[in-house]
């Protein structure tokens, strides 16, 4: 009893001394410290109860890697694969390669000179246009097929026909391509310079059209749609393959007859370039539309310094640690538990993926690949709450006055 009275007297004297010295800041700090210590069990219980209640996990709750205490690992079909970048693809494998630029095509204007002797009267010059059937019509000689031939081959063809008809014995024939017809092709979408461009019919394909427009833009997708003005008889030309390098679905959207080129079709640049098959031609008046990618942003929230939404990088890989870095890093030294909320196509309920900050630094499985629209949430844990309490206490004590 005497000890208790002595202790109370000592405390009263200590408080009286504080009041007499005017150092009331220390007293306020001690009261604040006592309040925080009393609330610590309440905060810990409020955090532990939800954790204990979460023992029965939902059907859509997975772990980025198998935890030692049990739990379902994220299946492979829910893991995202590396995003393909069309700008890294060798598009030259898609070039039509229909022939030399000197080949004579429909609509070209030619000048044909025929010389039977040295005298001026023995020479004739005729300007002709290559007709839709691929032939030219010359005086006396008549119709001669020249489409697809180079000038030297056309000269031999005309000479042979003139001799066959006994018009000349051994004429000298010269063919000049005075004006080559161009295909006017409009290029739209994710290219560097949209517009209408003129292409040689011998190289009027998807690759040449994209190159004329300055190449693919940074937001270019994999899909390219070609709209030709109509189906045309092309018996010597194969149609684009029905799958266009992609076995998961048809890309032909119009007639696919063996003797007809489709009026409209779509190709996957990445898969088609890998296969290197097919001729993706564009006719005069055709339209090439390159897909634009505009992925939704990702969201980073919780115990990070700059919780916000961030643009999803196009054509680049984004993993969990990258997203945390975009948000300025962790705001709590004890933060470790992370949830990734992902909406899966065809499912009404989102998938919840649990990972670990520390494990992600050592394991590629834990450092999960993120997709457009993912939500990354750094969660509170007993450790983060304890750290917050220590920070509050430290601020409460040092923020009012210096004890020593």
């Amino acid at each position: 009893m005497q000890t208790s009275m002595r202790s109370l007297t000592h405390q009263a004297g200590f408080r009286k001394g504080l009041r007499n010295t005017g150092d009331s800041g220390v007293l306020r700090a001690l009261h604040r410290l006592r309040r925080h210590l009393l609330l610590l069990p309440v905060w810990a219980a409020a955090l532990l109860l939800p954790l204990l209640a979460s023992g029965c996990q939902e059907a859509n709750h997975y772990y980025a890697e198998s935890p030692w205490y049990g739990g379902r690992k994220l299946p492979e079909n829910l893991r995202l694969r590396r995003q393909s970048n069309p700008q890294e693809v060798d598009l030259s494998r898609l070039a039509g390669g229909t022939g030399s630029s000197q080949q004579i095509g429909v609509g070209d204007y030619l000048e044909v000179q025929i010389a039977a002797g040295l005298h001026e009267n023995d020479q004739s010059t005729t300007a002709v246009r290559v007709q839709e059937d691929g032939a030219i019509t010359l005086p006396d000689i008549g119709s001669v097929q020249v489409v697809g031939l180079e000038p030297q081959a056309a000269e031999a063809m005309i000479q042979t026909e003139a001799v066959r008809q006994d018009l000349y014995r051994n004429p000298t024939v010269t063919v000049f391509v005075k004006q080559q017809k161009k295909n006017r092709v409009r290029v739209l979408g994710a290219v560097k310079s949209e517009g209408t461009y003129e292409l040689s019919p011998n190289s009027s394909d998807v690759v040449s059209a994209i190159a004329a427009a300055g190449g693919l833009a940074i937001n270019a997708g994999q899909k390219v749609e070609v709209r030709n003005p109509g189906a045309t008889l092309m018996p010597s030309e194969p149609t684009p393959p029905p799958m266009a390098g992609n076995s998961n679905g048809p890309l032909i959207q119009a007639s696919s007859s063996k003797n007809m080129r489709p009026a409209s079709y779509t190709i996957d640049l990445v898969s088609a370039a890998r296969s290197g098959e097919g001729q993706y031609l564009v006719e005069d008046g055709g339209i090439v539309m390159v897909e634009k990618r505009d992925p939704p942003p990702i969201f980073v929230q919780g115990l990070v310094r700059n919780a916000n939404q961030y643009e999803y990088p196009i054509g680049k890989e984004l993993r969990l640690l990258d997203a945390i870095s975009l948000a300025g890093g962790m705001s709590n030294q004890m933060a470790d538990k992370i949830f990734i909320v992902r909406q899966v196509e065809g499912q009404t309920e989102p998938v919840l993926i649990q990972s670990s900050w520390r494990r992600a630094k050592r394991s590629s499985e834990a450092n999960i690949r993120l997709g457009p629209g993912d939500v990354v949430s750094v969660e509170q844990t007993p450790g983060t709450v304890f750290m917050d309490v220590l920070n509050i206490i430290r601020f409460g004590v040092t923020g009012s006055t210096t004890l020593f």
Side-chain angles (χ1 to χ4, degrees):
M1 185 67 177
Q2 293 180 354
T3 304
S4 299
M5 292 296 297
R6 191 178 298 113
S7 177
L8 292 174
T9 304
H10 175 74
Q11 292 180 11
F14 177 72
R15 292 174 181 172
K16 182 177 179 181
L18 289 177
R19 293 191 188 97
N20 293 337
T21 58
D23 198 357
S24 60
V26 176
L27 190 60
R28 287 197 301 271
L30 291 175
H31 284 304
R32 191 178 294 111
L33 175 61
R34 184 176 64 180
R35 284 200 307 271
H36 290 314
L37 291 176
L38 290 174
L39 289 175
L40 181 58
V42 177
W43 289 353
L47 185 63
L48 287 174
L49 285 176
L51 292 177
L52 294 175
S54 64
C56 298
Q57 298 176 2
E58 298 181 3
N60 59 346
H61 184 186
Y62 300 95
Y63 290 86
E65 59 178 3
S66 299
W68 60 269
Y69 47 84
R72 293 179 304 163
K73 183 180 177 181
L74 183 68
E76 289 299 324
N77 64 316
L78 292 180
R79 290 185 181 272
L80 300 179
R81 297 182 179 180
R82 188 179 184 276
Q83 190 181 37
S84 298
N85 187 357
Q87 295 184 341
E88 299 175 355
V89 175
D90 182 11
L91 296 181
S92 63
R93 292 172 58 85
L94 299 178
T98 57
S100 168
S101 60
Q102 295 297 316
Q103 284 185 349
I104 298 171
V106 173
D108 290 353
Y109 282 93
L110 310 179
E111 183 180 275
V112 181
Q113 296 180 356
I114 301 177
L118 297 177
H119 195 273
E120 185 177 342
N121 294 332
D122 296 332
Q123 300 178 5
S124 64
T125 301
T126 306
V128 293
R129 178 181 178 274
V130 181
Q131 302 167 7
E132 292 295 329
D133 60 358
I136 59 174
T137 301
L138 299 173
D140 299 329
I141 298 177
S143 178
V144 181
Q145 285 285 335
V146 296
V147 73
L149 302 178
E150 294 190 2
Q152 289 183 346
E155 292 168 358
M157 182 70 70
I158 296 171
Q159 183 185 46
T160 301
E161 188 64 23
V163 172
R164 187 185 69 82
Q165 297 184 28
D166 291 331
L167 298 175
Y168 300 92
R169 290 184 178 179
N170 188 23
T172 300
V173 181
T174 306
V175 176
F176 298 98
V177 180
K178 302 299 289 185
Q179 184 178 353
Q180 192 176 45
K181 181 182 179 296
K182 299 291 185 179
N183 285 352
R184 290 178 60 83
V185 176
R186 191 176 182 186
V187 187
L188 304 173
V191 290
K192 293 181 179 178
S193 181
E194 295 180 310
T196 301
Y197 299 92
E198 293 187 345
L199 304 177
S200 169
N202 298 317
S203 59
S204 185
D205 53 39
V206 170
V207 175
S208 299
I210 293 175
L216 296 173
I218 191 172
N219 63 335
Q222 297 178 218
K223 299 289 191 279
V224 176
E225 183 180 357
V226 178
R227 296 181 182 177
N228 284 317
T232 306
L233 278 173
M234 296 293 291
S236 62
E237 229 174 66
T239 61
M243 302 304 177
N246 187 345
S247 59
N248 294 326
L251 295 178
I252 299 301
Q253 298 180 0
S255 170
S256 58
S257 170
K258 292 183 179 179
N259 295 327
M260 304 288 287
R261 181 189 300 145
S264 179
Y265 60 90
T266 304
I267 63 174
D268 184 303
L269 289 178
V270 176
S271 58
R274 288 172 181 169
S275 67
E277 300 176 354
Q279 292 185 349
Y280 307 103
L281 305 181
V282 187
E283 296 180 358
D284 184 28
I287 299 176
V288 177
M289 300 180 64
V290 181
E291 173 193 22
K292 284 184 178 181
R293 285 193 291 190
D294 187 20
I298 64 166
F299 298 84
V300 186
Q301 62 188 27
L303 301 180
V304 291
R305 289 190 173 91
N306 299 310
N308 207 334
Q309 68 177 34
Y310 297 91
E311 291 185 2
Y312 189 85
I314 297 176
K316 296 181 180 179
E317 187 177 70
L318 182 70
R319 289 185 174 267
L320 179 59
L321 294 182
D322 301 324
I324 300 298
S325 178
L326 287 175
M330 297 292 197
S331 61
N332 189 302
Q333 297 177 3
M334 298 297 292
D336 182 64
K337 181 180 179 181
I338 304 174
F339 281 139
I340 299 99
V341 182
R342 174 173 299 164
Q343 187 65 53
V344 179
E345 185 177 358
Q347 297 185 12
T348 56
E349 295 294 330
V351 172
L352 189 65
I353 307 169
Q354 184 172 333
S355 189
S356 162
W357 165 256
R358 293 176 180 82
R359 289 292 304 165
K361 292 181 178 180
R362 301 190 295 268
S363 167
S364 60
E365 278 193 333
N367 189 22
I368 187 172
R369 185 180 288 113
L370 301 179
D374 280 357
V375 178
V376 177
S377 180
V378 182
E379 299 294 305
Q380 287 275 16
T381 63
T384 60
V385 172
F386 182 73
M387 180 60 66
D388 287 339
V389 171
L390 288 182
N391 289 333
I392 293 173
I393 293 173
R394 182 171 56 187
F395 177 78
V397 174
T398 61
S400 56
T401 185
T402 303
L403 291 175
F404 304 101

